[in-house]
Amino acid sequence: MPSKTKYIATTGGVISGLGKGLVSSSIGKILQSYGYDVTMVKIDPYINVDAGTMNPFEHGEVFVLEDGGEVDMDLGNYERFLNIDLTKDHNITTGKVYKAVIDKEREGDYLGKTVQIIPHVTDEIKHEIRKVARGHDICVIEVGGTVGDIESMPFLEALRQMRMEEGPENVVFVHVTLVPVLDVVGEQKTKPTQHSVQRLLESGIQPDFVVARSKKPLEEKARRKISNFCNVPEENVISDPDARISYEVPLILEKEGLGKKIAKKLNLKVGTDLRKWRYMVNRMLNPKNNVRIAMAGKYTALGDSYVSILEAVKHGALANNAKVEISWIETEDFEKDKSKLEVLDTVDGLIVPGGFGPRGVEGKILAVGYARTHKIPYLGLCYGMQMATIEFARNVCGMKGAHTTECAPRTKHPVLHILPEKYQIKQMGGTLRLGSWPCKIKKGTLAEKIYKSNLIHERHRHRYEVNPDYIEKIESKGLVFSGKHPERPLMEIAELSNHPFFIGTQYHPEFKSRPEKPSPIYAEFIKACINYKKTKRKS
Ligand code: GLN
């Protein structure tokens, strides 16, 4: 093991959305496969203190960590690729850094000094990075945004200083850029890469590696040009063409020898390769079964808003040797025309994911009811569990107009509400229930069959809870709360016994799902979809 922590900083050039997060995760994965203890940090140069208040439409999903941190979705990639748990400290934002500096200034920590970006802000950034890196062999630091952005400058400056302080043998820079092809000439163009490396050089950072993202593998001519103009040896210009699936990226980069070359620069030993991972990717690319799942949701235009769910579905599919096709459904359509619900006859399962606010809610309730009465496998995630409870209360328990107070504050039957003061959660800051919470599972239930355990921990992000006043009535009619908090009146899982697979969770199991450790509930859901498809074909 190295005597000092080694740092790998990844920066991005030309455009955002290049897949820098995947490149960073892949580098982490490759080095982890060499036997090193790798951790990862995401720097987000925006002013928000965390991603909790950001609209998923604009910024993609808000990922939730064990400790309740609401963070950038790249941390989801890190956890999935490396199969590790991170904390909120692993997401450093401008907001967080400035807040810390300003708080210190108010407390008199800098007494007498003029507080400045250099050294006070850059010192704070370095301190935050070193804090999370401590004790690990390797720390991969992904710098969000694109070089040249005003807001990322203090972070680049801090990283430049770190290379000086830690020594060049302990810090490596990887710059990820885009190499586009102009249709008319059909040639890979390197000029944008050259310019972005120039911007990086202005910050005093010479990249050790350039990872060139392109549709097709990098041509030799382009590789030579990038090497020449960017002052990077040809063998350190890495070709990173589009992958078939994201999990293939570590294999693509390792084929280019990126891990070995980074290890050499950092005086690290090269270990065994990604044999297990390769086997997994091959299985993902060659599935035997095939199912179609309907996904109801508000941000249907943007897959990024539901990344963790889509990934967890893939992991569950992998566990069942299956390929899953997702059909996005706009539930508002059902509100206007109920006959549109028949689209659910063409799928093998339904997911109603998390959500906030009233839009499309009545349609979601209709869709859940259709899945319940037509025995279509159903997985309700957070809001989806709440919708299942409302649907059941209305249509089986006869509670007309039952609702969540989130959408109908004056409903006669508030089957979901904000818990009374004595049960409320204070330690987390806001009123959201966040992060990992324990759940006790009832014996002899589907939940027990799925988890093969009677105590689990899953991650939450919601405000409303099943109203304890209605539990007895609802359970007496057959919707069982098979998972509950061990001490508090918090309902965590709802399931139907007279249905092949109908389950809803107040938590978000997708946040803990990894390809090497699929979420059990997703795996069982996919299995149920495969079985449903088989029986449907027979009938
Ligand atoms: N809006 C619901 C609540 O706050 C569900 C949230 C979610 O699905 N994440 O309780």
Side-chain angles (χ1 to χ4, degrees), residues 354-357 381-383 386 406 432 461-464 508:
F356 293 83
L381 304 162
C382 204
Y383 221 16
Q386 300 181 350
E406 175 171 3
L432 279 188
R461 183 174 188 253
H462 58 101
R463 184 169 289 123
Y464 295 82
H508 292 270

Side-chain angles (χ1 to χ4, degrees), residues 323-338:
K323 179 176 182 258
V324 175
E325 195 190 313
I326 299 281
S327 294
W328 295 94
I329 53 170
E330 183 59 76
T331 52
E332 272 180 306
D333 293 349
F334 304 149
E335 294 167 17
K336 289 172 218 136
D337 179 1
K338 281 195 188 147

Side-chain angles (χ1 to χ4, degrees), residues 143-163:
V143 186
T146 311
V147 296
D149 295 347
I150 291 176
E151 50 191 20
S152 54
M153 281 177 183
F155 294 103
L156 294 177
E157 168 59 17
L159 290 166
R160 183 195 69 77
Q161 293 174 15
M162 270 188 80
R163 163 120 83 177

Side-chain angles (χ1 to χ4, degrees), residues 448-464:
E448 189 192 41
K449 197 176 141 229
I450 291 171
Y451 281 99
K452 296 180 182 66
S453 168
N454 294 103
L455 183 70
I456 57 161
H457 292 79
E458 292 276 15
R459 299 183 191 174
H460 292 245
R461 183 174 188 253
H462 58 101
R463 184 169 289 123
Y464 295 82

